[in-house]
Amino acid sequence: MPPHEHTGHPRRWAILGVLVISLLVVVLDNTILNVALRTLADPVHGLGASQGELEWSINSYTLVFAGLLFTFGVLGDRAGRKRFLLIGLVLFGLASLLSAYAQSPAQLVAARALMGVGGAAIMPVTLSIISNVFDPRERGRAIGVWAGAVGLAVAIGPILGGALLEHYWWGSVFLINVPVVVLGVVLVALLVPESRDPDPGRVDVAGVLLSVVGLVALTYGIIDGGEHGFGRPLVWVAILGGLAVLAWFVAYERRSDHPSLDVRLFRVPRFAAPVAIVGLIFFAAMGVMFFTSFYLQLVRGYSPLETGLLFLPFAAAQLVFAPASAAMVRRYGGRAVAAVGLTLTVVALGAFAFVDATTPIWVVLVVFFLQGTGMANIMPPATESIMSALPREKAGVGSAVSNTVRQVAGALGVAVLGSVLSAVYRADVDPALRDLPAGAREAAGESISGAYAAAGQLGPAAPQLIAVADDAFLAAMHWAAGLAAAIAALGILVVLRWMPGRSAEAAGRPAPVGEPELAGTA
């Protein structure tokens, strides 16, 4: 292709705007839900959800989403990306209505799973469409804007969720998705062109089913073990069974002539290294965000709206630095930019191991800003590297792998770090609960939300219980934050060892799948 020739769509920037709106509805939902967790745990104003049910309200969505991304990424390439985007938006909107009017935690978990079906149809095709309507020379910048939209949703979600919870019932945080979906459907229908793979393969039904079964079993075991203890056989049957099914999935994909995940891709450092980075960073970051909401609202006493406003530095950093990351990569190389971003993120996550009930709130705001800056310089170069490893017609595969790893890692991060949080909290708080009534003892021993609910029934003994619960929660938060920082730090090693440097990036097109020419450039 001559240097001056561009292959981008004439309306590519308007199309990117439409894709950002479609992405907002998916990301908004999860950021709003984080602010609503405390309300959902309230038996009077919410659904009285337990810690495990709160985790499943996140993970039921995430696991269905991640399990279907493989198949929907391939189906979008095969049947039409615009078609799948429209179907996903409509499903997401209908499931949001069901979530808003759920009458029990179980109904909410089921409705959230249906939302995951819609989200799985939306997310991979947004990146696929970007890869098809943008020239490769503009794609990095476009993906930076796409990643910055996540920061915008992080900004809007908690603030919007907090404002809704202060004036309306908890279901409004799901109902707000509906007008965004309607706007998205109209704009997609009017502006987004249809595109598909001219040479699609068969759908790998068996592979998808194996991945879903393995992930659900593994995460169920981790969540159940964290809530009820790891000494029961059922927990280990679920964990080991899930790992065995996932190993079967990998073996099956290696033999299949139409795999949903071509494992040969992981022999290409330009693809494999950023996939690993995305997994590690979202494992750590999503787990920390899960307990940060409880720290701000319970230990520090901020309202849901105030909690949302406190997340603004994270979102502002995303909005500023993510769109600019493509220029940073051109100047310094993807490896250098990702290494710096990971270092900033590790410092921010590790800082929560030293935050307590009296830490000045400006320190917490600085930590949020550092984390946002770090992640803004990890995701765009990592995503661009993944997408550039594949031809345009196979963009759905790269998008599906990237988003699947991100969502699965986030789900496992919530499960594992939530389990650590619950286990340490329970061990620290139990000795102080022996003189409480049975009902209060059980509620306070389960979670800090349960302790605050029980304190409302104890009269003069309430302040002592709250103080004990706060201390136990902070100790648990410190352990979970330390573990998160250690896991994110592994990403630095991955970047330095395997992510291609500037010389490899400047060499031209990546090696075809199955020909790991870049192995020596790391």
Side-chain angles (χ1 to χ4, degrees), residues 249-291:
F249 165 74
V250 172
Y252 178 86
E253 297 299 283
R254 291 184 66 182
R255 297 191 306 269
S256 176
D257 60 356
H258 59 287
S260 57
L261 173 60
D262 188 346
V263 294
R264 293 179 300 164
L265 284 168
F266 293 99
R267 298 169 59 193
V268 182
R270 185 185 293 276
F271 182 89
V275 166
I277 295 164
V278 168
L280 290 168
I281 203 65
F282 269 84
F283 181 101
M286 292 304 294
V288 169
M289 291 194 73
F290 178 74
F291 63 67

Side-chain angles (χ1 to χ4, degrees), residues 224-409:
D224 197 53
E227 185 173 6
H228 302 294
F230 286 92
R232 297 176 303 121
L234 176 62
V235 172
W236 289 106
V237 167
I239 291 175
L240 296 177
L243 290 173
V245 173
L246 290 175
W248 183 9
F249 165 74
V250 172
Y252 178 86
E253 297 299 283
R254 291 184 66 182
R255 297 191 306 269
S256 176
D257 60 356
H258 59 287
S260 57
L261 173 60
D262 188 346
V263 294
R264 293 179 300 164
L265 284 168
F266 293 99
R267 298 169 59 193
V268 182
R270 185 185 293 276
F271 182 89
V275 166
I277 295 164
V278 168
L280 290 168
I281 203 65
F282 269 84
F283 181 101
M286 292 304 294
V288 169
M289 291 194 73
F290 178 74
F291 63 67
T292 301
S293 171
F294 290 96
Y295 165 75
L296 292 173
Q297 293 189 57
L298 294 175
V299 177
R300 301 306 295 264
Y302 291 103
S303 69
L305 178 57
E306 291 168 337
T307 298
L309 291 170
L310 290 173
F311 280 108
L312 273 177
F314 174 89
Q318 290 269 309
L319 284 170
V320 171
F321 292 107
S325 63
M328 298 292 287
V329 169
R330 284 194 299 271
R331 183 169 182 179
Y332 300 107
R335 179 161 60 185
V337 172
V340 172
L342 277 161
T343 301
L344 290 174
T345 305
V346 169
V347 170
L349 296 177
F352 281 104
F354 302 96
V355 167
D356 59 27
T358 60
T359 299
I361 199 62
W362 67 264
V363 173
V364 177
L365 297 179
V366 169
V367 170
F368 282 150
F369 183 81
L370 281 178
Q371 184 182 346
T373 302
M375 293 184 68
N377 285 288
I378 297 168
M379 293 309 301
T383 304
E384 160 62 9
S385 183
I386 292 168
M387 299 303 289
S388 68
L390 294 167
R392 284 184 175 186
E393 61 270 17
K394 299 294 184 183
V397 175
S399 177
V401 171
S402 172
N403 285 296
T404 298
V405 168
R406 182 175 67 182
Q407 294 300 323
V408 171

Side-chain angles (χ1 to χ4, degrees), residues 423-517:
V424 176
Y425 171 85
R426 190 178 298 114
D428 283 1
V429 82
D430 276 352
L433 304 180
R434 291 169 184 163
D435 296 331
L436 294 180
R441 183 169 62 248
E442 182 179 351
E446 180 183 292
S447 67
I448 187 172
S449 296
Y452 271 71
Q457 312 296 322
L458 293 181
Q464 182 179 357
L465 174 59
I466 288 176
V468 169
D470 283 351
D471 289 343
F473 178 82
L474 287 169
M477 183 179 81
H478 293 162
W479 277 98
L483 177 59
I487 290 168
L490 294 175
I492 300 175
L493 301 179
V494 172
V495 167
L496 296 179
R497 173 63 183 86
W498 287 291
M499 194 161 180
R502 291 190 68 186
S503 59
E505 291 166 356
R509 294 179 181 270
V513 174
E515 300 179 23
E517 294 176 0

Side-chain angles (χ1 to χ4, degrees), residues 25 87-99 115 118 122 174-175 177-178 181-182:
V25 74
I87 291 171
L89 285 168
V90 171
L91 277 177
F92 199 92
L94 292 174
S96 295
L97 283 173
L98 293 175
S99 297
M115 290 176 74
I122 294 169
F174 297 109
L175 205 58
N177 293 335
V178 177
V181 164
V182 172

